[in-house]
Amino acid sequence: MTEQNPSQAATPPDDRFEVGIIVAKRTLKSRWASHAWLPVAALPAIPAALPWTMLSATPEEETFYAGAYEVSLHPAETSHYRDNLISGRPSLWVALRQVAEGSYDLATVTADPYEGESMAEGIGEVVEAVPMPLEVQAKVLAFFEAFHVEQVFHKRKRDRADPEALARQGTGTRRRGDEG
């Protein structure tokens, strides 16, 4: 068996990485709201632009670079990342939180589809799944391969009922007036 020099050991994949988030402000044809904010894309690298830099504008939509967000991966959630990667449409879930009228901050970005789904059930945040860039997919896959441990399902066997033990327990109820 060949000994491995510690300097030659493979470095574990990063459990954190940054993505840049693109959001859109879309014009609505509604009497209740004039526009809606919506996360639309994730960038695998952080651009030199400042947060909330306008990228494009049409009469129907303005797009902005909202800023960078650090995505954290957790070893206990590797099966969730696998489910995301094999889904046919790997995604990052982006949540925007309104901080003032017409002003939003990035609240959360996650690669865990179940966390993303639970974020969407909340009130007060705008949550959308955006396509996961190929470079980010590679990072999530490397993390999955390094830390995933398949959990084997073991069906429990039920204990057989002991009729004598049940009889010894009694009913445990007393009627009023039974002071014994």
Side-chain angles (χ1 to χ4, degrees), residues 92-105:
L92 292 173
W93 281 259
V94 179
L96 298 176
R97 180 176 299 130
Q98 187 171 9
V99 292
E101 184 65 35
S103 179
Y104 287 82
D105 276 342

Side-chain angles (χ1 to χ4, degrees), residues 9-162:
T11 57
D14 290 334
D15 64 345
R16 298 174 188 276
F17 55 88
E18 285 191 318
V19 294
I21 301 298
I22 306 296
V23 298
K25 179 182 176 184
R26 294 188 176 153
T27 303
L28 299 176
K29 293 180 174 128
S30 166
R31 60 179 138 169
W32 294 283
S34 62
H35 63 276
W37 288 92
L38 188 67
V40 293
L43 305 172
I46 307 306
L50 293 173
W52 297 104
T53 298
M54 184 182 290
L55 302 175
S56 67
T58 67
E60 296 82 30
E61 178 179 274
E62 297 172 343
T63 58
F64 297 85
Y65 167 65
Y69 194 88
E70 184 178 78
V71 178
S72 298
L73 302 176
H74 305 282
E77 297 171 351
T78 55
S79 62
H80 300 180
Y81 306 140
R82 176 195 55 214
D83 293 349
N84 188 1
L85 291 170
I86 65 173
S87 69
R89 186 178 181 255
S91 301
L92 292 173
W93 281 259
V94 179
L96 298 176
R97 180 176 299 130
Q98 187 171 9
V99 292
E101 184 65 35
S103 179
Y104 287 82
D105 276 342
L106 289 172
T108 307
V109 179
T110 183
D112 180 344
Y114 306 110
E115 181 182 5
E117 190 175 298
S118 69
M119 290 183 332
E121 294 173 358
I123 297 175
E125 292 182 351
V126 176
V127 180
E128 285 294 324
V130 300
M132 185 186 297
L134 292 174
E135 297 89 340
V136 174
Q137 289 180 41
K139 290 177 184 183
V140 174
L141 180 60
F143 187 85
F144 168 81
E145 290 174 342
F147 293 104
H148 184 70
V149 176
E150 195 63 42
Q151 299 293 322
V152 179
F153 177 74
H154 294 286
K155 186 172 180 178
R156 278 186 2 186
K157 289 188 177 184
R158 293 179 55 158
D159 294 334
R160 294 201 177 271
D162 181 0

Side-chain angles (χ1 to χ4, degrees), residues 160-172:
R160 294 201 177 271
D162 181 0
E164 290 180 17
L166 294 172
R168 285 191 300 269
Q169 285 181 342
T171 61

